């Protein structure tokens, strides 16, 4: 049980679960089942956030996180990543919370935790943003993915309906600042799965309203969310693949990332296999293996970060269609 101080931290720092309701957010409600799924994901995210914010030790937080049902446990760790980053940033709450989360049971959820760190950037003043230079140089772009998701989820009018993109985003890492918009768009694409209520036609229609140069990254995020979160049957997934057209490689890359994240954490669920079969023409294990086969090993040179070269190699291996900015 959290201490009295921990319970106070949770009460003061945790957003209300009503903020994750589709009606509150003004998101599309496809079916009652899809609505329940997305709202449960939001609630489990906040549950994980609350565990990280309230716990006196990492072990205590992990006990709560590991009790979350398998389908939603990754989302709880994503929330915990945000909560740990908030504690690291705010005065008087200590340091090293993210490091300890990643060193413990969170080692099975690095992608989700990095994305959660990005959520904190949407809530903190820039002077309190995390030191992303201290994070894994390959994976730290996922922090911007998380930031993009947060902005699209909570500032939907600006980031989705008006397709806003910050022309000079202050990326606190010291590499490839021109790539930041692409990484943020991948998070926006992931958020579209929620904004559009898991409706693939609406997802594709919404993406098509963005400038064509942004479609590839948006489809990559949508493929990841469709595979990790679920909410569609095979016919709907096929419709999204067909609408993606020339961006099927990006859709497959996102799907493969999701499969690897679920399998690494031991959280495989049937909807992941349904998605990889449609988007990648592979079983989840095969798609996940591709992500590891082509993962950059050591320093990578060139105009694009290693992370983007990795994404492009995954798309090329699976579909023969590359991905990434041109």
């Amino acid at each position: 049980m959290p201490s009295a101080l921990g319970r106070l931290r949770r009460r003061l720092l945790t957003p209300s679960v009503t903020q994750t309701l589709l009606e509150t957010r003004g998101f599309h409600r496809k079916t009652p089942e899809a609505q329940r799924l997305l709202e449960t994901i939001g609630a489990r995210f906040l549950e994980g956030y609350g565990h990280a914010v309230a716990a006196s030790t990492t072990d205590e937080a992990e006990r709560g996180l590991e009790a979350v049902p398998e389908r939603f446990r990754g989302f709880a760790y994503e929330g915990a990543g945000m909560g740990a980053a908030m504690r690291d940033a705010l005065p008087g709450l200590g340091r090293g919370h993210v490091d300890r989360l990643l060193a413990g049971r969170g080692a099975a959820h690095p992608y989700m935790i990095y994305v959660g760190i990005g959520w904190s950037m949407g809530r903190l003043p820039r002077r309190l943003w995390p030191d992303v230079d201290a994070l894994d140089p390959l994976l730290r772009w996922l922090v911007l993915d998380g930031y993009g998701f947060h902005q699209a989820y909570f500032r939907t009018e600006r980031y989705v309906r008006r397709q806003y993109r910050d022309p000079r985003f202050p990326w606190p890492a010291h590499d490839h600042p021109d790539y930041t918009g692409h990484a943020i768009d991948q998070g926006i694409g992931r958020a579209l799965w929620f904004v559009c209520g898991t409706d693939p036609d609406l997802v594709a229609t919404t993406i098509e309203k963005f400038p064509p140069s942004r479609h590839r990254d948006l489809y990559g995020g949508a493929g990841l969310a469709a595979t990790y979160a679920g909410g569609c049957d095979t016919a709907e997934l096929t419709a999204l693949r067909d609408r993606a057209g020339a961006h099927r490689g990006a859709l497959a890359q996102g799907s493969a990332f999701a499969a690897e994240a679920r399998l690494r954490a031991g959280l495989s669920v049937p909807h992941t296999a349904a998605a990889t079969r449609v988007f990648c023409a592979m079983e989840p294990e095969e798609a996940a293996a591709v992500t590891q086969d082509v993962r950059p090993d050591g320093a990578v040179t060139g105009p694009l970060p290693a992370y983007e070269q990795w994404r492009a190699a995954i798309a090329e291996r699976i579909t023969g269609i590359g991905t990434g900015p041109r």
Side-chain angles (χ1 to χ4, degrees):
M1 284 287 292
S3 65
L5 181 58
R7 293 194 296 273
L8 178 61
R9 283 196 302 269
R10 175 183 283 171
R11 187 163 62 250
L12 292 177
L13 296 177
T14 304
S16 169
V17 72
T18 61
Q19 294 302 305
T20 67
L21 300 180
L22 269 61
E23 184 175 6
T24 302
R25 301 254 55 83
F27 293 170
H28 178 66
R29 287 174 278 176
K30 183 180 72 173
T31 63
E33 293 76 17
Q35 181 175 354
R36 281 194 296 272
L37 170 65
L38 296 180
E39 291 178 348
T40 300
I41 289 171
R44 292 299 189 176
F45 176 97
L46 289 179
E47 181 181 349
Y49 176 92
H51 287 311
V53 166
S56 300
T57 66
T58 302
D59 285 346
E60 182 183 304
E62 288 173 350
R63 286 194 293 273
L65 291 164
E66 291 297 315
V68 174
E70 285 188 357
R71 180 169 188 176
F72 303 105
R73 194 176 302 157
F75 298 105
Y77 270 96
E78 183 180 351
M82 179 187 177
M86 295 290 287
R87 288 185 71 172
D88 281 346
L90 295 174
L93 298 184
R95 294 291 184 270
H97 298 286
V98 168
D99 290 341
R100 289 190 290 275
L101 183 64
L102 286 166
R105 300 291 289 270
H109 306 270
Y111 307 144
M112 307 304 287
I113 291 171
Y114 272 47
V115 166
I117 295 169
W119 276 68
S120 75
M121 291 170 60
R123 297 281 168 146
L124 293 167
R126 289 178 182 173
R127 62 185 176 82
L128 295 180
W129 279 4
D131 177 15
V132 294
D133 274 325
L135 300 175
D136 182 300
L138 179 64
L139 297 182
R140 64 186 175 204
W141 295 100
L142 289 168
V143 172
L144 287 183
D145 183 304
Y147 175 83
F149 187 104
H150 177 280
Q151 300 302 83
Y153 191 92
F154 289 102
R155 298 170 186 170
T156 311
E157 178 63 32
R158 188 181 197 196
Y159 280 83
V160 175
R161 300 191 179 98
R162 291 192 276 127
Q163 298 96 42
Y164 174 77
R165 180 187 250 184
D166 191 330
R168 292 180 298 277
F169 186 82
W171 179 224
H174 299 102
D175 60 346
H176 300 284
D178 293 341
Y179 184 71
T180 57
H182 296 282
I184 291 170
D185 275 353
Q186 291 153 33
I188 293 173
R190 232 171 15 95
L192 291 181
W193 196 246
F194 291 73
V195 173
C196 299
T198 80
D199 184 325
D201 283 330
L202 184 56
V203 169
T205 297
T206 304
I207 289 174
E208 289 162 6
K209 294 177 181 178
F210 283 75
S213 62
R214 301 177 67 179
H215 292 181
R216 186 178 290 109
D217 291 306
L218 295 168
Y219 270 114
L224 197 159
T227 305
Y228 198 95
C232 273
D233 60 26
T234 298
E236 291 175 302
L237 294 167
T238 302
L240 181 60
R241 182 198 63 196
D242 293 346
R243 290 285 297 272
H247 305 304
R248 287 186 293 110
L251 198 70
Q253 175 273 314
S255 182
F257 260 18
E260 205 279 330
R262 279 209 170 270
L263 290 171
R264 174 190 290 255
L267 305 178
S268 183
V269 289
H271 69 252
T272 298
T276 61
R277 288 167 188 157
V278 172
F279 296 152
C280 306
M282 292 177 172
E283 294 299 317
E285 294 80 7
E286 297 173 285
V290 170
T291 71
Q292 296 310 297
D293 288 346
V294 301
R295 180 173 176 144
D297 183 15
V300 174
T301 59
L304 297 173
Y307 178 74
E308 179 53 40
Q309 295 184 46
W310 185 26
R311 294 180 67 242
I314 293 168
E316 178 69 28
R317 173 74 69 87
I318 294 175
T319 66
I321 302 172
T323 185
R326 294 289 187 266

